[in-house]
Amino acid sequence: MSKIIIGRYIPGNSIVYKMDPRGKIIGAFFFIFLIFLANNWFTYLMITLFTFAAVFATRLKIKTFWEGVRPLIWLILFTSVLQLFFTTGGKIYWHWGIFTISHYGIENSIYIFIRFVMIILMSTVLTLTTTPLEISEGMEWILTPLKYLKVPIGQIALVMSIALRFVPTLMDETVKIMNAQRARGADFNDGGLIKRAKAIIPILIPLFINSLTIAIDLAVAMESRGYREGEKRSRYRVLTWSKYDWINLAFFTLLTALLLVLRKH
Amino acid sequence: MGHAFLESVIPMSETKLRLNLQDLVILALLIAINIVLQKIQFGPAYLKVGLGFIGLTMLGYYFGPVWGSIGAGVSDILMSTAFGVEGGFFPGFTLSAMLGALIYGIFFYKQPIKIWRIIVSTLLVTALVNVLLNTYWLHLLYGLNLKAAFLSRILKELIVPWIQMIVIYIVLKALQRVKIKK
């Protein structure tokens, strides 16, 4: 538990930090769509180059990005290898039972490896350079159109910011509860499956009860400070679009144009 | 039955959809718990089971299908964008989380805790969400061959649901004793 990092934001000062979170979030979504467009060597090369451009533009250590990929590296390799054996077509190089290594297989597994790594790197760029609060404000802005489908966006935004505020608090609370239970002999890493499942209860229930207490107190405090459901409120924190966001926009426009031209039609 | 049942599961009008402030704050804290739980894994190294499903169960149990799945959607968005889960953000997985909470909500919200409910809901979530939908997202996202994607996931999905059922049963039985003050 001690190794848990709350949020992944690393303070910095490069241009990626100065971009509007809305632009960055939309960019990160859009990048996934762009990856769908890639279907030959040139396009994958472009995707790779642009991702690395974004990674270098953050001016963070490469090691930090590697730490985002590392927990998944075995899964990525395993998946790529499975793809290698189960995709058939083109020239066949090796064949044994159900396993085949073909030209398409090799190509496909390399593409999948690139896709995995690039998607992870791009979303790491977003999470490392944007604070959780900025992300939730950006998400709120992006979700606003759902208002027309009668989705209670105001309430959802409030839920988001309260949840965000209390994750660190509850994280500390969890560590405290675990230590308190350990002090009385609880063991969270030993025993059979059912014993371990039962060991969750002494953590979960106090955590839940503490949260209920916090929630009731907070609701009372909010109401006493004049929060009224459904009434129009002003905004203290406002997101602003700056010149750096045009760089962001230009970056993605260029990448889209290149992919559309270079992809196999 | 019929309409009345549907109305109790999915509130139709907007006024019924609104939560009062206290419930709203409880929902927010449940989401925070969900995010914290996601960071804890238990079990031996060769079979790590994440605790995320407990969060989904709790959301469904306390807030029903609609707000439960909204809560699950918010947790997934916050988790993958702000707190960084492995693999990054993809809206498909947000939908998966929402569908999971929706299923748990239909089976557990304002219902007595019965073993068959736990078994059926867990199997439904495993089959629909974890096996079908999530594999499809992986196929879409990374261009995986569907057969290979299934093969790499099926083994885990054959073992994990049974563990989840035991944990859900124990958790729901314990939660039953905690009453939310009104």
Side-chain angles (χ1 to χ4, degrees), chain A residues 1 4-8 29 32 35-36 71-72 78-79 82-83 86-87 108 112 115-116 119-120 123 126-127 132 135-136 139 143 150-152 155-156 158-160 162-164 166-168 170-171 174 178 193-194 196-198 200-201 203-205 207-209 211-212 214-216 218-219 222-223 227 229-230, chain B residues 14 17-22 24-33 35-37 39-40 42-44 47 51 54 58 62 67 70-71 74 77-78 80-91 138-149 151-152 163 166-167 170-172 174-175 177-181:
Chain A
M1 279 296 289
I4 286 174
I5 356 157
I6 301 164
R8 305 215 297 177
F29 294 167
I32 292 170
I35 285 245
F36 293 153
L72 283 171
F78 180 65
T79 318
L82 270 184
Q83 289 297 316
F86 287 98
T87 315
N108 231 347
I112 281 163
R115 276 185 175 217
F116 257 110
I119 288 177
I120 294 171
S123 62
L126 171 72
T127 52
I135 287 179
S136 101
M139 286 305 302
L143 292 176
K150 293 192 173 176
V151 179
Q155 290 201 319
I156 292 175
L158 184 67
V159 164
M160 258 186 172
I162 296 173
L164 209 53
F166 279 99
V167 167
L170 291 188
M171 204 78 100
T174 312
M178 283 175 95
L193 215 53
I194 298 199
R196 282 186 197 212
K198 279 188 172 160
I200 298 165
I201 299 300
I203 308 171
L204 192 65
I205 298 301
L207 189 63
F208 187 58
I209 292 176
S211 307
L212 286 181
I214 295 173
I216 292 163
L218 181 63
M222 283 171 70
E223 266 167 356
Y227 176 86
E229 181 43 54
Chain B
E14 202 189 352
L17 196 67
R18 291 199 165 272
L19 283 184
N20 67 40
L21 180 60
Q22 189 175 310
L24 211 62
V25 182
I26 294 173
L27 178 67
L29 282 149
L30 214 49
I31 290 168
I33 292 182
I35 294 172
V36 174
L37 285 178
K39 299 264 178 190
I40 310 175
F42 80 111
L47 190 70
L51 294 185
I54 296 181
M58 286 170 79
Y62 282 112
W67 275 101
I70 291 177
V74 171
I77 290 173
L78 288 184
S80 52
T81 54
F83 295 96
V85 284
E86 294 160 355
F89 181 77
F90 177 63
L138 289 175
H139 163 71
L140 205 65
L141 193 53
Y142 301 116
L144 302 183
N145 178 327
L146 270 178
K147 198 169 79 179
L151 278 174
S152 62
I163 303 169
I166 298 170
V167 178
I170 295 172
V171 167
L172 285 183
L175 283 177
R177 292 185 286 147
V178 185
K179 289 275 174 276
I180 299 185
K181 278 181 277 178

Side-chain angles (χ1 to χ4, degrees), chain A residues 2-264:
Chain A
S2 55
K3 273 192 286 180
I4 286 174
I5 356 157
I6 301 164
R8 305 215 297 177
Y9 175 74
I10 296 173
N13 202 25
S14 58
I15 57 165
V16 184
Y17 284 90
K18 292 176 184 140
M19 288 173 187
D20 192 306
R22 292 170 292 185
K24 280 193 273 186
I25 296 170
I26 294 173
F29 294 167
F30 188 63
F31 184 74
I32 292 170
F33 168 74
L34 287 181
I35 285 245
F36 293 153
L37 286 181
N39 59 3
N40 59 15
W41 283 106
F42 283 127
T43 43
Y44 275 100
L45 184 69
M46 280 300 133
I47 292 269
T48 313
L49 286 179
F50 271 81
T51 311
F52 278 104
V55 165
F56 285 116
T58 62
R59 295 222 213 127
L60 290 167
K61 286 198 193 91
I62 299 296
K63 202 176 148 240
T64 332
F65 287 93
W66 168 239
E67 273 161 14
V69 180
R70 195 175 52 188
L72 283 171
I73 198 75
W74 288 111
L75 183 74
I76 298 172
L77 285 175
F78 180 65
T79 318
S80 305
V81 167
L82 270 184
Q83 289 297 316
L84 180 64
F85 288 130
F86 287 98
T87 315
T88 46
K91 201 174 163 211
I92 290 170
Y93 298 108
W94 182 76
H95 185 81
W96 183 78
I98 52 166
F99 300 111
T100 320
I101 292 182
S102 65
H103 184 71
Y104 281 169
I106 295 173
E107 214 176 50
N108 231 347
S109 60
I110 294 172
Y111 286 166
I112 281 163
F113 185 82
I114 296 176
R115 276 185 175 217
F116 257 110
V117 175
M118 295 309 136
I119 288 177
I120 294 171
L121 284 181
M122 212 45 150
S123 62
T124 314
V125 168
L126 171 72
T127 52
L128 288 180
T129 61
T130 322
T131 61
L133 192 67
E134 283 176 336
I135 287 179
S136 101
E137 281 164 0
M139 286 305 302
E140 186 193 334
W141 184 85
I142 292 167
L143 292 176
T144 312
L146 291 177
K147 210 162 51 185
Y148 300 106
L149 297 172
K150 293 192 173 176
V151 179
I153 289 302
Q155 290 201 319
I156 292 175
L158 184 67
V159 164
M160 258 186 172
S161 47
I162 296 173
L164 209 53
R165 156 68 184 79
F166 279 99
V167 167
T169 312
L170 291 188
M171 204 78 100
D172 292 346
E173 200 75 31
T174 312
V175 175
K176 267 188 213 160
I177 291 167
M178 283 175 95
N179 287 339
Q181 305 284 18
R182 273 203 195 98
R184 308 166 62 209
D187 188 356
F188 300 114
N189 301 315
D190 212 25
L193 215 53
I194 298 199
K195 196 174 164 239
R196 282 186 197 212
K198 279 188 172 160
I200 298 165
I201 299 300
I203 308 171
L204 192 65
I205 298 301
L207 189 63
F208 187 58
I209 292 176
N210 286 354
S211 307
L212 286 181
T213 319
I214 295 173
I216 292 163
D217 289 350
L218 181 63
V220 170
M222 283 171 70
E223 266 167 356
S224 57
R225 299 199 64 174
Y227 176 86
R228 294 292 175 270
E229 181 43 54
E231 258 170 50
K232 208 156 170 50
R233 291 186 290 148
S234 60
R235 288 182 156 276
Y236 177 64
R237 253 189 290 270
V238 185
L239 297 169
T240 47
W241 192 261
S242 71
K243 63 178 181 204
Y244 299 104
D245 297 302
W246 294 109
I247 301 176
N248 190 8
L249 194 66
F251 178 85
F252 277 103
T253 316
L254 183 63
L255 181 59
T256 314
L258 279 172
L259 287 182
L260 285 174
V261 170
L262 291 172
R263 79 191 293 256
K264 192 166 63 194

Side-chain angles (χ1 to χ4, degrees), chain B residues 98-111:
Chain B
M98 292 177 78
L99 185 64
L102 180 90
I103 293 172
Y104 285 129
I106 290 172
F107 278 89
F108 298 142
Y109 185 52
K110 291 183 177 166
Q111 303 289 345

